[in-house]
Amino acid sequence: MTDRFQRALPKILMHEGGYVNHPADPGGATNKGITQNTYTAWLRAQGRAYQSVKAITDADVAAIYRRNYWDAVSGDDLPSGVGYCVFDAAVNSGPRRAAEWLQQAVGADPDGAIGPITLAAVADSDNAKTINAMCDNRMAFLKRLRHWPTFKNGWTRRVSEVREQSLAWVSNAVASPSPVQPVAGVGKGEEVTGFIAALAAFLQSIFGGKA
């Protein structure tokens, strides 16, 4: 797993929480953000027997998030901060919709598939503006859902926290160039005069004995 995925996953899990089976949640029984249907499909693909999502292991959680969401939105290829923003949106609303929001934010064709053209558009865009536009698109979508009255407080808080964290990671990723350190004990004037003296000695050794 990449460092950025490992850094982002705990943030996702913090929002997803533990086991819930809210009657108004269309996803049904869910643990750590993984629905029973998703977990059952994962187990079947691994040739493993059915078990309740209540018993899902941390290893399975990480593997499912990696394959179904992070990889699905090309998380490794997205800038720091932007990747987390898209990743969280994919978990909450699906990878295709998250990709469309990203594409709309950077002016790419919103076909729901992140490929070279979208990645190039992301690279040419301001990361902070991309994150803000994505979060705005996401909130506009959530407000149109019929479940908005039930989940609006949690959804609003989540998107706000994702926006804040994503922008913080963008800011931290902007590295300042390291200043050139002078040689200890040697000032600029000493460097120049020392070079001239060495050059003079070299020339003297070549031409000093000639008329």
Side-chain angles (χ1 to χ4, degrees):
M1 292 185 290
T2 63
D3 290 341
R4 281 185 291 166
F5 173 75
Q6 292 173 324
R7 181 174 66 169
L9 183 57
K11 301 292 184 183
I12 298 288
L13 296 179
M14 179 184 68
H15 288 295
E16 292 296 337
Y19 179 81
V20 292
N21 193 6
H22 197 292
D25 188 343
T30 304
N31 192 13
K32 299 180 180 179
I34 307 296
T35 66
Q36 182 65 64
N37 288 340
T38 297
Y39 190 39
T40 299
W42 170 262
L43 291 171
R44 187 181 299 117
Q46 304 299 311
R48 293 159 57 187
Y50 170 90
Q51 68 177 7
S52 170
V53 74
K54 280 186 176 182
I56 192 170
T57 65
D58 290 342
D60 282 346
V61 168
I64 290 171
Y65 273 111
R66 172 79 195 209
R67 188 194 69 175
N68 289 11
Y69 304 104
W70 180 264
D71 288 347
V73 296
S74 301
D76 286 340
D77 299 319
L78 294 172
S80 180
V82 175
Y84 169 57
C85 186
V86 181
F87 180 32
D88 188 84
V91 171
N92 201 205
S93 300
R96 183 176 184 84
R97 187 167 285 118
E100 290 173 353
W101 292 335
L102 173 65
Q103 290 164 333
Q104 291 166 356
V106 299
D109 179 29
D111 61 4
I114 298 176
I117 295 176
T118 298
L119 293 174
V122 171
D124 288 339
S125 301
D126 179 89
N127 291 335
K129 291 181 179 178
T130 298
I131 289 167
N132 282 321
M134 260 214 67
C135 290
D136 290 345
N137 291 340
R138 184 176 175 183
M139 283 302 301
F141 167 80
L142 293 173
K143 289 178 180 179
R144 294 194 299 268
L145 296 179
R146 63 186 179 89
H147 301 294
W148 172 255
T150 302
F151 297 108
K152 63 180 180 180
N153 291 337
W155 287 344
T156 300
R157 182 175 62 253
R158 177 171 184 159
V159 175
S160 177
E161 291 175 357
V162 168
R163 187 195 301 261
E164 181 179 358
Q165 183 63 74
S166 298
L167 291 172
W169 281 344
V170 164
S171 178
N172 292 339
V174 179
S176 300
S178 300
V180 177
Q181 298 297 326
V183 178
V186 180
K188 290 183 178 179
E190 292 173 312
E191 291 176 354
V192 173
T193 55
F195 171 76
I196 293 174
L199 178 61
F202 173 71
L203 294 175
Q204 178 67 26
S205 68
I206 297 176
F207 302 109
K210 295 183 180 180

